[in-house]
Amino acid sequence: MKDILKSTNRTFETPDECMQEILKLVKGDCTDDEICHIRKAYKIAAEAHKDQKRLSGEPYIMHPLSVALILASLGMDEASIVAAILHDTVEDTEMTKEDVSREFGDTVAELVEGVTKIGKVQIQTKNDDGGENVRIQLPTKEEQQAENIRKMLIAMSRDIRVIIIKLADRLHNMRTLMFKPEQRRREIARETSEIYAPIAHRLGIRPIKEELEDLAISYLDPVAYNEIGESLEKQSKTRNEFLADIQARIEERVKSIVPNAQVSGRLKSVHGIYRKMYMGNKNFDQIYDIYAVRIIVDTVIDCYNCLGIIHDMFNSIPGRFKDYISTPKPNMYQSLHTTVLGKEGIPFEVQIRTWDMHHTAEYGIAAHWKYKLGINGTVKFEERLAWIRQLLENQSETEDVEDIVTTIKSDLVPEEVFVFTPKGDVFSLPSGATVVDFAYAIHSAVGNKMVGAKVDGRIVPLDYNVKTGEIVEIMTSSQQGKGPSRDWLNIVKTSQARSKIRQWFKKERREENIVEGKAQVEREFKRNFIRLSDAEFNEFIAKIAERQHCKTVEDFYAAIGYGGISLMRLMPRIREDYGKMNKTEEPIITVTPVKKKTKSKEGVIVEGIDNCLIKFSRCCNPLPGDNIIGFITRGHGVSIHTRSCTNVPDDISKAGEPERWITAYWDSTVREDFKCTLQLYCLNRIGLLADVSSMLANMRIMINDISTRNTKDGRAIIMVTVSVNGVEHLNSLVSKIEKIDGVLSIERSGI
C-alpha cells in the first residue's frame, strides 16, 4: 500500500490528467452514477477555484484533486472523494454548505463542513434586557488551533470519514510545504508531528502516518534527517543484499511447512530511526529493527507456527518479543513481532500476521471501505471510534480550549504499555503512564478511592511509571470522604485520569475550589506585580471570567481551583490587559537629573553617589538582568532591590521619604558571580539529591549551600544556593533542573 501512496506523489501536467487518474482508481468500486457525481464535483470545484493559484504557481484545483487521488488510492467511497474535491470551496470561495447540500446531498455537505477550518469564534453574552448578544472574537493562534481540532473531533465522532479526508489534505500540504515561509513550515510540521501523525496512528493508517512523520522531521530537524538518509544510502547495496538473502532463507523454510505464506522485506521509516537515535541517545548501529521481514499467512495458528520456525532458524534477542495478536493495540493492530540475530550478527525484526490483520495494519480504518468490511453496527468498528468520544468527554471537563491539544499529545502517543490486573485483565496505557492512570483506567471509583499501589507484589510510589507485563494491584480505602489529591494532576499522564480527578473536585469540593482558585489568582497577581484597588480588581476579574465563558467570578475561581482553567496560560493575556489599563494611569516619578554616574565593584551603577557601599537586599536577592532600584540606608550605604520586591512601594512619589529611593542599574561590562537561592518542590525518591548535585556539577555551577527536608505528603523540598552571573544564566539553570525526574516546580527566593 505504501507504494500506492507513493504513486500519488507525482506531478500532473494538467488537472484533467489528475482527474483521469482518480477515475481509473475508482472505476471498479464506483457505479456509473457515482462516477458522474465525481465528474460533477470536479466541474463545480474547477469553476469555483478558477482564479486561484497555489504558492507554487499551479492552479489551486490541483490541491483538492490531489487529496481526492490519495483517498481513491485508499479505496474510499464516492462521498469521501466528492467531499475531498469540494473541501476548500466553502472555506475559500463563495460556495456555501447549503450549495453543496443542494447539489450533492447532506452527507457530502457534512463531510465538507467537518473539514472546513474556523476563523472566528461566536460567543453568547447577556445584554441589559436579558436577551442574548452574539459577538465575534478573533481567537489567538493557539485557541484557533484548539477550536479547529475540537470541531474536527466532533465531526469525526459523527462520521469518521472527516478525519480521513483531513489526513489526506494534510499529507498533500506537507508534500508541497517547501513553498511556505520557513517559520510557517516549522509551525505546520510541528502540528503535523504532534497531532495529525498520532491520529493517523490511532486510526491504523500506517503509510500516511509514516510519510507525515518523515516529512515533518525533514523540516523540524533537516540535519538529522539528511544524516539518516546518507547512512541509509551508504548501506543501500549491503542492505538490499542482506534483506534479499534473509527473505529467501525464511521463504524456503516457511513455505515447506506453512502453505500460501508470503514473505517480504522492508526498511524502518526515517522518523522511526530518528526517534530511537536522537530521543533514545543511540547511534545508527544500535538501532535493532532498521531491517524488517514480514510474513503473511492464512490463519492465526500459522502465525504461531511461523514464530517457532523463526526462533529455530535464528537467535532471538531477549525482551524483544511482542504478541499483539492476543493483546491488540488500541487501533486494533494485530501481529507477532520478534527481533532476532542472523549469523551475520545483524539484528532484524520479523512481523507475522494473517491477511485480515495485514489489511487492518496497512489501511487501518479505511479497510472498512477498501475491503467492504461494513461501516455500521459492528462491535469492532465501534471500539475503534470509542477513543474519539473519550477525548471529547475528557476535554469537556475543562473550560480551557487549548487543553484538547495537550490531550491529543498525551493520549495518542505511538508507544503503549500493556498492564495486567491481579485477575488477568489487560489495560493499554500510553508510555509513561503512572499507577494512578492505571487506577482510573479500571474505573473512576477505583481511582478516587486509591491510597496506594503494588507492582508485582511490592509497594511503589504513586508516580511510578508502569511497564508492559507488570501486574498492578490498586489499594483503595473505604473511608467516607476519601478522594484524590490535587497533586495527582501533576503526575498523571492520561486525559482520562486528569478529567476524572477534575470531575471529583468540581462536584465534591466547590467551596474549596473557589478558595484555592482565588488564592492562585492573588498569588499570581502579586508575583506579576499587578496591583489594583478592590473595585478595579473585581471589574478586572469579571471581564476575565466572561472571556473564559464563566457565568460568575466564583465559577471562574472554581474552574481554576479544580484545574479546568490553567491560570498560567492566561497570565500573558492578563498582563497585557493590565498594561493597557494602566498605560495612562502609571504614576510619573520625577528624578532629579544628574550627570554623575559611578559604578561600584559589585557591578551596579548608582546615579548621583560616588564610591558608596553597595549591598544586595536579602528579601529579593537581585541578579544582573533584574530591573532594580536603590534605597539609601542610614550608615549602611545603598541597598539594592528588584523593582518587583514587596518592600518597594508601588508609587515612590507617595512613599515616606521618597528622596531615599534612587535610580540604579546594572553595569553591562561587569561579569561577576552572584549568589541565588532556589527552592525545589519535588516528588521524593532515592537518588534525587544526587541527580540535582550532578546536574549542577556538569554545568560547572558552584554550590554554596544545599539542604533538603521531607514534607508530610511524601514530597521533598530542596533548598540550594548557587553562584550565577545573571538572570539569563539562572533561567538556563532552572530549565535544566526542571527536566530532572521528580522535580515539580522551582521558586527563586532570597538568601
Side-chain angles (χ1 to χ4, degrees):
M1 175 189 167
K2 198 170 184 181
D3 292 334
I4 295 176
L5 271 190
K6 280 188 174 180
S7 70
T8 66
N9 189 13
R10 61 191 181 93
T11 303
F12 293 94
E13 295 295 329
T14 64
D16 287 344
E17 186 181 337
C18 185
M19 184 63 192
Q20 290 306 313
E21 187 67 22
I22 294 171
L23 295 176
K24 188 191 301 182
L25 287 173
V26 303
K27 188 175 182 181
D29 297 323
C30 293
T31 65
D32 290 342
D33 286 344
E34 289 173 337
I35 289 176
C36 285
H37 279 169
I38 294 173
R39 291 182 184 275
K40 180 181 177 182
Y42 169 48
K43 183 178 178 181
I44 290 176
E47 177 63 25
H49 292 298
K50 67 180 180 180
D51 296 324
Q52 296 176 347
K53 299 279 187 184
R54 302 199 82 207
L55 291 177
S56 62
E58 68 179 0
Y60 192 89
I61 188 62
M62 290 301 300
H63 168 64
L65 286 178
S66 298
V67 175
L69 181 63
I70 293 170
L71 294 174
S73 73
L74 292 175
M76 295 302 294
D77 62 339
E78 165 261 343
S80 302
I81 294 169
V82 169
I85 295 173
L86 299 168
H87 81 272
D88 276 337
T89 54
V90 172
E91 186 176 336
D92 296 334
T93 76
E94 304 207 355
M95 280 191 71
T96 64
K97 179 185 175 184
E98 290 70 27
D99 295 333
V100 176
S101 179
R102 185 171 57 253
E103 295 290 344
F104 298 98
D106 292 340
T107 298
V108 172
E110 290 295 332
L111 291 176
V112 172
E113 169 70 11
V115 179
T116 301
K117 297 191 291 291
I118 61 170
K120 298 181 177 67
V121 180
Q122 288 190 349
I123 299 178
Q124 300 286 124
T125 58
K126 297 287 184 181
N127 59 31
D128 295 336
D129 300 326
E132 288 191 341
N133 292 327
V134 177
R135 60 188 175 88
I136 302 297
Q137 176 184 350
L138 290 174
T140 65
K141 186 179 293 184
E142 292 77 14
E143 290 173 336
Q144 188 169 351
Q145 180 197 46
E147 288 290 357
N148 279 323
I149 293 169
R150 175 153 53 183
K151 175 179 180 289
M152 185 177 67
L153 286 174
I154 292 171
M156 282 168 61
S157 67
R158 294 194 293 261
D159 194 327
I160 194 63
R161 289 174 291 185
V162 167
I163 190 56
I164 301 177
I165 297 169
K166 189 66 181 175
L167 288 173
D169 176 43
R170 179 51 62 108
L171 178 57
H172 185 254
N173 281 331
M174 288 298 294
R175 286 173 173 177
T176 56
L177 197 58
M178 72 287 293
F179 297 106
K180 294 273 189 183
E182 182 178 354
Q183 181 58 33
R184 186 64 181 139
R185 289 200 300 264
R186 293 184 62 83
E187 290 173 359
I188 294 173
R190 182 170 289 107
E191 183 184 53
T192 299
S193 176
E194 294 177 346
I195 295 172
Y196 289 97
I199 289 177
H201 169 76
R202 182 52 67 93
L203 294 177
I205 311 177
R206 181 188 63 82
I208 287 185
K209 165 192 171 283
E210 290 188 354
E211 189 173 349
L212 286 176
E213 287 175 336
D214 286 356
L215 288 168
I217 209 65
S218 71
Y219 289 104
L220 293 173
D221 195 344
V223 174
Y225 181 85
N226 292 331
E227 284 180 359
I228 294 172
E230 288 171 5
S231 298
L232 292 173
E233 185 62 31
K234 286 177 184 177
Q235 298 183 3
S236 60
K237 185 178 178 181
T238 307
R239 180 187 73 226
N240 292 336
E241 291 174 354
F242 172 76
L243 276 175
D245 178 60
I246 289 293
Q247 183 178 333
R249 287 162 56 191
I250 292 175
E251 194 167 21
E252 181 182 2
R253 181 76 177 274
V254 167
K255 285 195 172 181
S256 65
I257 301 172
V258 180
N260 302 323
Q262 178 179 301
V263 183
S264 60
R266 76 175 190 92
L267 193 69
K268 195 173 188 70
S269 68
V270 173
H271 180 269
I273 298 171
Y274 173 87
R275 191 173 66 243
K276 296 200 173 185
M277 283 181 63
Y278 293 90
M279 298 176 71
N281 197 24
K282 297 179 180 179
N283 60 45
F284 191 83
D285 296 327
Q286 290 177 304
I287 309 301
Y288 281 163
D289 47 2
I290 287 179
Y291 304 100
V293 174
R294 182 175 295 143
I295 304 173
I296 307 176
V297 294
D298 293 333
T299 66
V300 173
I301 293 175
D302 288 340
C303 291
Y304 289 98
N305 285 338
C306 287
L307 178 67
I309 295 169
I310 295 299
H311 283 179
D312 183 52
M313 291 178 67
F314 307 98
N315 294 322
S316 62
I317 297 178
R320 298 290 301 172
F321 169 67
K322 296 172 184 174
D323 186 350
Y324 293 122
I325 292 180
S326 62
T327 310
K329 289 187 177 184
N331 61 8
M332 297 302 165
Y333 174 88
Q334 288 182 287
S335 189
L336 296 176
H337 289 195
T338 184
T339 303
V340 296
L341 204 62
K343 63 182 181 182
E344 301 86 350
I346 301 175
F348 62 94
E349 184 182 63
V350 180
Q351 301 173 354
I352 309 168
R353 61 179 71 142
T354 67
W355 282 103
D356 285 344
M357 295 174 190
H358 180 65
H359 295 153
T360 300
E362 293 296 290
Y363 288 85
I365 206 80
H368 288 270
W369 288 272
K370 178 73 174 176
Y371 294 98
K372 306 297 185 286
L373 299 181
I375 59 172
N376 294 311
T378 62
V379 175
K380 282 194 174 183
F381 191 80
E382 288 302 312
E383 287 177 0
R384 297 186 70 169
L385 303 187
W387 64 272
I388 304 171
R389 288 185 285 274
Q390 185 69 54
L391 271 179
L392 291 169
E393 179 185 332
N394 293 341
Q395 201 274 332
S396 66
E397 290 304 316
T398 173
E399 283 80 4
D400 189 348
V401 294
E402 296 174 45
D403 197 55
I404 190 74
V405 179
T406 306
T407 296
I408 289 180
K409 291 177 185 177
S410 63
D411 282 15
L412 301 187
V413 293
E415 295 83 8
E416 296 101 10
V417 293
F418 299 93
V419 189
F420 296 87
T421 67
K423 293 183 178 179
D425 297 325
V426 63
F427 287 85
S428 170
L429 295 167
S431 178
T434 65
V435 288
V436 180
D437 291 298
F438 179 74
Y440 279 99
I442 296 172
H443 196 279
S444 58
V446 175
N448 290 338
K449 294 181 180 180
M450 177 182 183
V451 293
K454 292 181 180 180
V455 174
D456 293 338
R458 60 187 179 85
I459 295 177
V460 296
L462 296 183
D463 63 333
Y464 178 83
N465 299 126
V466 295
K467 301 173 185 65
T468 293
E470 291 180 332
I471 299 174
V472 180
E473 179 186 352
I474 302 299
M475 298 181 288
T476 58
S477 169
S478 58
Q479 180 181 346
Q480 189 68 24
K482 169 64 183 171
S485 165
R486 291 184 190 276
D487 294 336
W488 293 3
L489 290 169
N490 297 322
I491 65 174
V492 293
K493 174 79 173 179
T494 63
S495 64
Q496 179 183 7
R498 194 174 295 110
S499 170
K500 298 302 181 185
I501 294 169
R502 287 171 176 168
Q503 272 184 24
W504 190 88
F505 277 102
K506 184 177 182 180
K507 182 179 179 182
E508 304 290 338
R509 297 286 190 270
R510 176 171 169 80
E511 294 304 319
E512 183 183 318
N513 292 336
I514 293 173
V515 172
E516 173 67 20
K518 188 172 183 180
Q520 282 190 40
V521 170
E522 291 174 349
R523 190 160 55 244
E524 282 300 310
F525 275 31
K526 183 178 180 181
R527 195 170 70 86
N528 285 274
F529 213 59
I530 298 176
R531 292 186 170 91
L532 298 165
S533 66
D534 289 345
E536 289 173 333
F537 179 84
N538 292 335
E539 183 182 352
F540 191 60
I541 289 293
K543 288 180 180 178
I544 299 171
E546 180 188 356
R547 194 162 62 226
Q548 296 301 311
H549 318 318
C550 296
K551 294 180 180 178
T552 65
V553 171
E554 286 193 344
D555 289 342
F556 175 65
Y557 286 145
I560 292 174
Y562 72 77
I565 291 177
S566 170
L567 184 59
M568 294 302 293
R569 288 183 183 169
L570 298 182
M571 285 311 299
R573 179 75 180 271
I574 290 173
R575 286 195 296 266
E576 182 182 334
D577 290 347
Y578 177 74
K580 291 177 181 177
M581 185 175 76
N582 287 272
K583 187 163 56 175
T584 58
E585 300 174 12
E586 290 180 353
I588 300 173
I589 302 173
T590 305
V591 180
T592 305
V594 290
K595 295 181 180 180
K596 195 175 185 182
K597 299 179 183 178
T598 61
K599 65 183 180 185
S600 73
K601 63 181 180 179
E602 287 83 3
V604 173
I605 296 175
V606 179
E607 291 193 345
I609 300 180
D610 192 12
N611 296 324
C612 66
L613 175 65
I614 296 290
K615 73 169 187 174
F616 298 107
S617 62
R618 301 169 70 89
C619 55
C620 56
N621 191 24
L623 292 174
D626 286 330
N627 192 6
I628 57 174
I629 191 170
F631 181 75
I632 302 172
T633 64
R634 291 185 172 92
H636 298 286
V638 176
S639 175
I640 303 297
H641 296 257
T642 64
R643 285 275 186 175
S644 58
C645 179
T646 53
N647 291 321
V648 176
D650 293 349
D651 187 348
I652 291 174
S653 63
K654 296 180 181 178
E657 299 181 295
E659 67 280 357
R660 296 177 66 183
W661 292 99
I662 190 165
T663 302
Y665 48 88
W666 298 100
D667 180 6
S668 59
T669 63
V670 175
R671 289 288 180 269
E672 295 184 15
D673 284 343
F674 297 80
K675 290 182 180 180
C676 176
T677 299
L678 298 176
Q679 191 163 278
L680 284 58
Y681 296 89
C682 315
L683 293 169
N684 205 358
R685 64 173 175 82
I686 295 173
L688 176 63
L689 188 60
D691 287 347
V692 173
S693 302
S694 176
M695 171 69 76
L696 295 172
N698 290 338
M699 293 183 68
R700 300 186 180 278
I701 301 289
M702 173 65 73
I703 302 175
N704 299 288
D705 184 49
I706 189 166
S707 62
T708 180
R709 63 183 176 86
N710 296 332
T711 61
K712 292 181 181 179
D713 59 358
R715 299 195 173 192
I717 297 176
I718 298 175
M719 298 288 290
V720 55
T721 302
V722 294
S723 294
V724 294
N725 59 30
V727 171
E728 289 186 7
H729 190 195
L730 177 65
N731 291 339
S732 172
L733 168 64
V734 168
S735 68
K736 288 196 165 129
I737 296 178
E738 284 176 335
K739 294 177 183 176
I740 296 175
D741 183 28
V743 176
L744 300 177
S745 63
I746 302 174
E747 289 184 6
R748 173 180 160 192
S749 62
I751 299 176

